[in-house]
Amino acid sequence: MTGIRSAPCDPFPILVQRIVQEAVIVDDRIIKIDHFLNHRIDTDLMQSIGTELANRLAPFQLDLILTAEASGIPPALATAFACRVPLVYAKKYDPAVPAPALTRRVPSPTKGRETQLAITARFLPAGSRVAIVDDFLANGRTALALVEMAHEAGANVVAAAFVVEKLFQQGRDPLVALGIPVITLAQIERFASGKPVIAGWPG
């Protein structure tokens, strides 16, 4: 980690440049950057993302990082490596996890159905300092479900960090209402003429 820390939601240049140059926008609603972020993964970029998120999370003195499979795992793992803390991920698709288990059902707007998240409770020790890390923050339902499960286990969620945030979907609002600081590397304000408009980024 570097000695200079960015503000929590400053644009991360190497990521934002890739988004602006390469993103495909579908129906002015969906942004596709799966060729480098969450399907085919650019490992050099992901390592840089993990380092930057770890740098921004450093003040929170984490004990572990929590995410949901599957697309949350790469940035969360890269961040966990940089923070030198364990990673716990919630399993999806009605998995069998050892009891006692923490579970939540989360509606998926892209899949049109509910997804179950499940975590083995003993992997979230009571009193531990947890950061949620995920690839996207849109409506915030997955992040909120992870927060609820962590709290149910007695853990403390001290921050939530995301690679990309769709500001126009207000997903941060329920997290902020709970007093959880939100960190993002690229905030999309809107789509215009088939291009993403990034907060704090010229052009």
Side-chain angles (χ1 to χ4, degrees):
M1 290 180 283
T2 64
I4 301 173
R5 295 195 183 103
S6 300
C9 295
D10 279 354
F12 185 44
I14 63 172
L15 169 66
V16 172
Q17 288 165 1
R18 294 287 299 271
I19 293 172
V20 170
Q21 293 167 7
E22 302 175 28
V24 175
I25 309 304
V26 180
D27 298 329
D28 278 335
R29 184 175 62 91
I30 297 171
I31 180 168
K32 293 184 69 66
I33 49 175
D34 54 354
H35 63 289
F36 65 77
L37 181 63
N38 54 18
H39 190 26
R40 175 190 178 273
I41 296 165
D42 183 324
T43 52
D44 287 339
L45 176 61
M46 191 59 69
Q47 185 174 26
S48 297
I49 286 170
T51 300
E52 182 63 19
L53 287 176
N55 191 41
R56 298 187 192 194
L57 286 166
F60 297 98
Q61 300 177 317
L62 305 180
D63 295 313
L64 63 89
I65 285 171
L66 176 63
T67 193
E69 70 172 7
S71 59
I73 293 175
L77 182 60
T79 306
F81 271 125
C83 289
R84 303 180 66 86
V85 298
L87 166 66
V88 177
Y89 67 87
K91 295 186 176 185
K92 286 186 178 180
Y93 311 123
D94 297 312
V97 300
L102 308 166
T103 62
R104 289 294 186 282
R105 288 197 169 272
V106 180
S108 171
T110 56
K111 296 182 176 65
R113 56 179 170 78
E114 284 191 333
T115 297
Q116 176 166 289
L117 301 178
I119 304 171
T120 300
R122 65 186 174 87
F123 295 151
L124 292 174
S128 58
R129 297 175 63 82
V130 175
I132 308 297
V133 175
D134 210 345
D135 60 339
F136 271 91
L137 175 60
N139 59 35
R141 290 171 181 160
T142 297
L144 188 59
L146 293 172
V147 170
E148 289 174 352
M149 287 189 284
H151 287 170
E152 187 177 334
N156 300 314
V157 179
V158 296
F162 305 90
V163 181
V164 179
E165 177 183 4
K166 294 180 180 179
L167 281 173
F168 54 89
Q169 291 191 242
Q170 289 89 43
R172 67 168 44 226
D173 291 353
L175 300 173
V176 172
L178 292 172
I180 298 171
V182 177
I183 293 166
T184 55
L185 301 187
Q187 294 180 305
I188 300 173
E189 292 183 332
R190 64 188 186 280
F191 300 127
S193 302
K195 296 288 185 181
V197 178
I198 310 293
W201 192 256

